[in-house]
Amino acid sequence: RKLNKDTVLKYQLGYAPNTWTSLKDCLVSKGYSEDFIVKAGLIKRKENSDNTYDVFRNRLVFPILDSHNHVLGFSARSLDNSMPKYLNTSENIIFRKRELLFGYNIYKKEADSDKILLVEGNIDVMSLYQAGINYAVANLGTAFTINQANLLNRNSKKIYICYDGDMAGKKATHKAIDILRSINAKSYIVELPEGLDPDDFIKKYGLSGFNAKLNTAKNSVEYEVSELMQVYDVNNPENLLELINELSKLLSKINDKI
């Protein structure tokens, strides 16, 4: 992905070797009990056995930090074809993935922008940072949550959504818009060409190209109306009626009277 050493160190990127007990052996040698490591979500017990094994194996490991730079858990991406592609630390007393965002600690420390950019992947965050955008965060490879929406809304009045330029990205964008709208947060949509994610786009078009996309971002209502306009043929009376009904449903969700 062409991440340089400074970026790798900034985000404290790590590696889980393709073995079953490397992390456990390391932590036990430092004095941690197996029960403690299990509670931290780093190893698991085999069913009907006292034997344990490392949760993360042959994965790129991203630490998830809070705004005070405390490591709360990990998100790990497979380096082969094993699923899931992203595996997170299991929920425990300090790691609640629905409340956390990857890159949030760096955003809080460094961003002097009035905006925050929500992307899908951890690599997207790092690639954008390397190109000069320090206000991107990601929602840990899981569905966007109301807790994450509140976190974004507390930090910025301009929330930009920049998901992948494919059908799954569009569906996720609509869901994120609905969640943000439910807390009266304003969102803007950065649309990427079909098949490109933020990492691909910034490599291909650079910072100036990405900023141009950012400057032409549509607010959530404009975006949803434009999406509906592409679905229906306005020259067909039946389609026009369906379009009006869909637009009415959309507008009824919006609290702003104007």
Side-chain angles (χ1 to χ4, degrees):
R1 297 304 190 99
K2 300 180 180 176
L3 297 172
N4 62 36
K5 186 177 180 181
D6 288 344
T7 305
V8 167
L9 292 173
K10 170 70 70 173
Y11 286 89
Q12 300 178 54
L13 204 58
Y15 170 65
N18 196 15
T19 58
W20 288 95
T21 62
S22 293
L23 181 60
K24 180 187 80 170
D25 295 343
C26 174
L27 292 174
V28 167
S29 74
K30 291 177 181 292
Y32 295 97
S33 70
E34 287 196 28
D35 284 342
F36 185 85
I37 309 168
V38 169
K39 285 180 182 176
L42 298 173
I43 62 174
K44 283 186 176 180
R45 291 195 187 283
K46 292 182 181 177
E47 285 188 37
N48 306 316
S49 169
D50 288 333
N51 293 330
T52 56
Y53 60 91
D54 293 350
V55 170
F56 303 123
R57 301 180 305 281
N58 196 28
R59 286 178 179 267
L60 201 59
V61 181
F62 306 82
I64 310 302
L65 290 79
D66 64 13
S67 58
H68 304 292
N69 282 329
H70 298 135
V71 177
L72 304 182
F74 301 91
S75 178
R77 191 192 191 287
S78 66
L79 292 172
D80 48 32
N81 293 321
S82 60
M83 297 301 286
K85 184 162 79 170
Y86 275 96
L87 182 64
N88 295 313
T89 298
S90 54
E91 298 272 314
N92 58 50
I93 57 170
I94 63 166
F95 185 78
R96 300 180 181 91
K97 66 183 176 186
R98 64 187 178 276
E99 299 174 3
L100 300 168
L101 294 161
F102 177 74
Y104 180 68
N105 59 308
I106 290 172
Y107 166 81
K108 286 293 286 183
K109 184 178 179 182
E110 296 189 18
D112 54 5
S113 172
D114 63 344
K115 52 186 172 283
I116 190 165
L117 181 71
L118 177 66
V119 297
E120 288 186 66
N122 300 349
I123 293 287
D124 294 323
V125 172
M126 296 175 68
S127 195
L128 288 166
Y129 181 90
Q130 187 166 289
I133 293 172
N134 62 0
Y135 51 88
V137 295
N139 47 298
L140 300 185
T142 57
F144 185 57
T145 68
I146 191 78
N147 308 77
Q148 292 167 333
N150 281 316
L151 189 57
L152 294 179
N153 198 37
R154 281 202 302 272
N155 284 281
S156 179
K157 296 306 174 192
K158 282 191 174 181
I159 300 164
Y160 288 81
I161 302 168
C162 184
Y163 283 167
D164 297 357
D166 55 20
M167 192 52 66
K170 282 182 182 289
K171 287 182 180 178
T173 296
H174 285 292
K175 287 180 182 176
I177 288 170
D178 282 341
I179 290 171
L180 288 164
R181 187 174 286 143
S182 73
I183 60 169
N184 294 320
K186 289 184 178 179
S187 59
Y188 301 83
I189 316 306
V190 181
E191 296 177 83
L192 298 181
E194 179 73 34
L196 295 186
D197 60 23
D199 174 42
D200 300 322
F201 188 89
I202 200 88
K203 284 189 174 70
K204 189 170 183 179
Y205 298 104
L207 182 59
S208 60
F210 193 85
N211 282 334
K213 279 287 181 188
L214 208 64
N215 291 334
T216 57
K218 295 171 181 168
N219 70 46
S220 57
V221 179
E222 288 174 322
Y223 172 77
E224 292 190 299
V225 169
S226 68
E227 288 284 292
L228 287 170
M229 295 290 281
Q230 291 175 35
V231 174
Y232 296 98
D233 176 9
V234 294
N235 296 311
N236 179 307
E238 288 185 10
N239 278 358
L240 183 59
L241 185 59
E242 289 177 24
L243 172 61
I244 291 168
N245 286 332
E246 289 299 319
L247 290 173
S248 298
K249 288 179 195 173
L250 168 62
L251 295 175
S252 70
K253 297 176 184 177
I254 299 164
N255 292 326
D256 188 317
K257 298 297 181 192
I258 295 172

